[in-house]
C-alpha cells in the first residue's frame, strides 16, 4: 500500500521526531539526554505549527500531550443492519456517521462499541463480528499527527430506541446507494460499503491493514 504521508514528508518527519522524543523522555534517566529529547519534541511541534499556522500552544496540546511509550489511539464504529439497510446517526454539524468513538481505557473494543451505540443511537446491541481493523491514515482524511486504529464492528440490536442527545440529532437506516453527506474524517462511503460486504458474506474474514 502507498505510504499515505508520501506527499506530506514534513508531517511524517514531525511524527517520527515526536515519537523519538517521547520515547526518549519516557526511558531516559540522564538529565542531559532528557533535555535533548524534550527539545526534539519541541522541534516536532514547531514544524507542525509552522506548516499549519496553528499556535505552538494548540499544537503542543494536541500533538505532544501524552506520556509513556506512544501507541496508536483506538476508534470503534458500529455497523448495524435492518432489512438490507445500515444505521447512520446525524451529528450536530448535519453530517452522518456510523455510531462510535474513542475506546475508553477501561473497556474492551466490544464493550466500548456497545456503549457508543447506546449513547449515540439509543439502541442496545451485541457485537457479533469484527469486520476490519484499519489504519485510519490509509482510509480517512484529513491526516492526523498521530496514529489511529479504526475497528469496524458488526452489531445486532436487542432493544432500545433513538433519543436525541448531546452528540446526535437523528438516526436512520440507509441503502448503500442512498447514503447522505458523511462525516468522512470518521467514516467514508468506502468503509460503509465494506460493512455491507461483510454483512452479506456468510464466511467473512476480518480485514487487517
Amino acid at each position: 500500500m502507498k505510504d499515505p504521508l508520501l506527499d506530506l514528508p514534513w508531517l511524517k518527519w514531525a511524527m517520527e521526531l515526536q515519537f523519538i522524543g517521547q520515547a526518549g523522555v519516557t526511558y531516559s534517566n540522564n538529565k542531559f539526554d532528557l533535555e535533548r529529547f524534550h527539545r526534539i519534541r519541541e522541534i516536532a511541534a514547531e514544524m507542525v505549527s509552522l506548516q499549519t499556522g496553528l499556535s505552538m500552544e494548540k499544537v503542543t496540546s494536541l500533538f505532544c500531550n501524552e506520556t509513556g511509550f506512544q501507541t496508536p489511539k483506538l476508534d470503534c464504529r458500529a455497523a448495524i443492519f435492518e432489512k438490507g439497510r445500515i444505521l447512520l446517526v446525524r451529528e450536530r454539524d448535519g453530517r452522518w456517521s456510523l455510531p462510535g468513538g474513542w475506546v475508553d481505557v477501561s473497556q474492551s473494543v466490544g464493550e466500548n462499541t456497545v456503549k457508543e451505540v447506546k449513547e449515540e443511537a439509543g439502541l442496545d446491541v451485541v457485537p457479533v463480528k469484527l469486520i476490519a481493523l484499519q489504519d485510519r491514515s490509509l482510509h480517512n482524511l484529513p491526516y492526523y499527527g498521530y496514529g489511529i486504529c479504526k475497528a469496524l464492528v458488526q452489531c445486532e440490536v436487542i432493544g432500545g430506541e433513538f433519543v436525541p442527545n448531546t452528540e446526535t440529532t437523528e438516526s436512520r437506516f440507509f441503502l448503500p446507494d442512498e447514503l447522505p453527506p458523511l462525516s468522512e474524517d470518521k467514516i467514508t462511503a468506502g468503509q460503509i460499503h465494506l460493512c455491507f460486504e461483510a454483512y452479506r458474506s456468510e464466511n467473512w474474514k476480518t480485514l487487517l491493514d
Side-chain angles (χ1 to χ4, degrees), residues 10-157:
W10 64 268
L11 180 56
K12 185 173 183 178
W13 297 331
M15 291 173 64
E16 186 171 359
L17 286 172
Q18 150 60 21
F19 171 76
I20 292 170
Q22 184 170 321
V25 169
T26 300
Y27 295 113
S28 297
N29 295 315
N30 183 282
K31 67 177 183 178
F32 299 108
D33 286 339
L34 287 172
E35 289 178 0
R36 296 184 184 98
F37 285 122
H38 277 295
R39 179 56 189 147
I40 289 174
R41 295 189 80 187
E42 288 178 358
I43 292 172
E46 288 169 359
M47 291 172 64
V48 175
S49 177
L50 179 64
Q51 292 290 333
T52 63
L54 296 173
S55 67
M56 274 293 293
E57 181 181 6
K58 183 69 172 179
V59 170
T60 301
S61 67
L62 294 173
F63 188 55
C64 306
N65 64 340
E66 297 184 7
T67 59
F69 188 81
Q70 188 173 8
T71 59
K73 295 179 180 294
L74 188 57
D75 173 53
C76 65
R77 295 287 152 181
I80 302 166
F81 295 91
E82 179 183 275
K83 299 179 180 179
R85 291 174 166 84
I86 194 167
L87 179 74
L88 299 177
V89 290
R90 189 176 186 179
E91 301 179 335
R92 289 287 170 178
D93 65 1
R95 297 180 299 168
W96 297 74
S97 178
L98 296 181
W102 297 123
V103 176
D104 294 346
V105 295
S106 60
Q107 295 187 315
S108 69
V109 172
E111 291 170 338
N112 202 84
T113 304
V114 170
K115 176 184 75 70
E116 291 289 338
V117 172
K118 185 64 175 179
E119 292 176 352
E120 296 186 4
L123 299 177
D124 301 307
V125 298
V126 291
V128 296
K129 183 190 300 181
L130 179 61
I131 297 171
L133 186 61
Q134 297 182 330
D135 178 344
R136 181 194 175 280
S137 66
L138 297 175
H139 302 274
N140 301 83
L141 293 173
Y143 298 125
Y144 289 169
Y146 43 84
I148 297 173
C149 291
K150 184 179 290 288
L152 303 177
V153 183
Q154 184 176 325
C155 299
E156 292 183 358
V157 178

